[in-house]
Amino acid sequence: VSTVFNTHFHTEHTGGNEALRQAGAAIVAHENTRLWMATPTWLPAEDRYRPPRPQTAQPTRTFYTDGRIQASGERIDYGYLIEAHTSGDIYVRFSSANVLAVGDVVSPTRDPELDYFTGAWIGGRVDAMDRLLALCDDGTRIVPGFGPVMTKAELKAERDVMKTVYDRTVDQVREGDDATDMLKAGVLNGLARTWKDPQRFLYDVQKGLWAHHNKLSPNVV
């Protein structure tokens, strides 16, 4: 192993960093990922601080927008997906293999997470998924953080669900509705997926939309 990518700053995808660094691997991540890993982080859902990760677990190479490396004859492109799941999400595209690793920006089996505390929101997630679609063709294998490998059509279907949620919830937020109001109004009804915890998902949607109210409409009240 020579290069490892941390696709966002959440710890479930960085637990092997120390061992990989000891084996000589370079750890590549967005600069925000390094900053979050090096800083005590407040976890609202758990009502506690998470201590910084050890220096040996932190990325050895960071970037801000995008980059490219060559490894064993494979061109590997990577880039930032702003405000989609956390503040440090990236994609990694293996050109010759036609494989696109997308982390938790795509979530085919688990409830999508929107870490509003770090700036993630439903609009950012839709924008990120649009960017991912532009990087795909019909033969691309898309690898999410959890769940099965996906096709471009499956990614498009999930993107369309997220866009529908965005369209339905924007007006609800303008009217001052909270997650319970949105759930009662049926904003998740009739979609091509279900949620294990729809209340929590809509709580994150509502918080993120308010945090980005300046992007919604000049008529936000």
Side-chain angles (χ1 to χ4, degrees):
V1 176
S2 59
T3 305
V4 176
F5 292 89
N6 287 163
T7 52
H8 57 70
F9 75 81
H10 280 184
T11 56
E12 67 263 28
H13 291 304
T14 63
N17 281 12
E18 292 98 326
L20 291 166
R21 281 189 64 173
Q22 288 179 0
I27 310 294
V28 179
H30 191 268
E31 174 63 13
N32 283 345
T33 297
R34 186 195 66 79
L35 291 172
W36 281 106
M37 292 178 71
T39 305
T41 305
W42 177 250
L43 304 176
E46 301 177 20
D47 194 30
R48 68 176 181 89
Y49 276 97
R50 180 177 64 205
R53 295 295 301 279
Q55 183 68 37
T56 54
Q58 296 176 27
T60 60
R61 185 189 310 165
T62 63
F63 67 98
Y64 286 95
T65 55
D66 53 39
R68 174 180 297 173
I69 62 173
Q70 293 286 141
S72 300
E74 176 73 68
R75 191 185 85 188
I76 303 173
D77 296 302
Y78 52 92
Y80 185 34
L81 298 169
I82 187 171
E83 299 176 332
H85 165 58
T86 68
S87 64
D89 299 288
I90 68 172
Y91 68 84
V92 183
R93 186 174 188 274
F94 301 86
S95 298
S96 297
N98 200 10
V99 171
L100 182 65
V102 298
D104 288 344
V105 172
V106 178
S107 188
T109 59
R110 307 202 318 179
D111 287 0
E113 295 182 12
L114 300 166
D115 193 345
Y116 66 88
F117 198 70
T118 64
W121 69 303
I122 188 72
R125 194 175 187 92
V126 173
D127 289 345
M129 295 173 88
D130 283 339
R131 185 176 184 190
L132 294 175
L133 285 167
L135 294 169
C136 297
D137 59 37
D138 290 340
T140 304
R141 290 172 291 170
I142 300 157
V143 183
F146 295 89
V149 173
M150 304 171 68
T151 64
K152 182 177 182 179
E154 290 169 333
L155 172 58
K156 176 66 163 53
E158 184 169 334
R159 178 266 178 205
D160 290 347
V161 168
M162 293 297 104
K163 181 59 164 63
T164 300
V165 172
Y166 173 86
D167 291 339
R168 291 178 178 180
T169 54
V170 165
D171 286 339
Q172 300 291 115
V173 168
R174 289 191 184 112
E175 295 169 6
D177 288 351
D178 61 15
T180 300
D181 297 322
M182 292 180 184
L183 194 59
K184 290 179 179 178
V187 298
L188 300 181
N189 291 352
L191 298 177
R193 70 171 300 155
T194 58
W195 278 260
K196 294 179 181 178
D197 190 346
Q199 180 82 23
R200 177 180 176 183
F201 172 70
L202 288 175
Y203 179 86
D204 292 347
V205 168
Q206 191 258 358
K207 286 287 189 180
L209 283 167
W210 268 119
H212 293 269
H213 66 272
N214 61 316
K215 301 182 178 74
L216 306 184
S217 165
N219 297 321
V220 173
V221 295

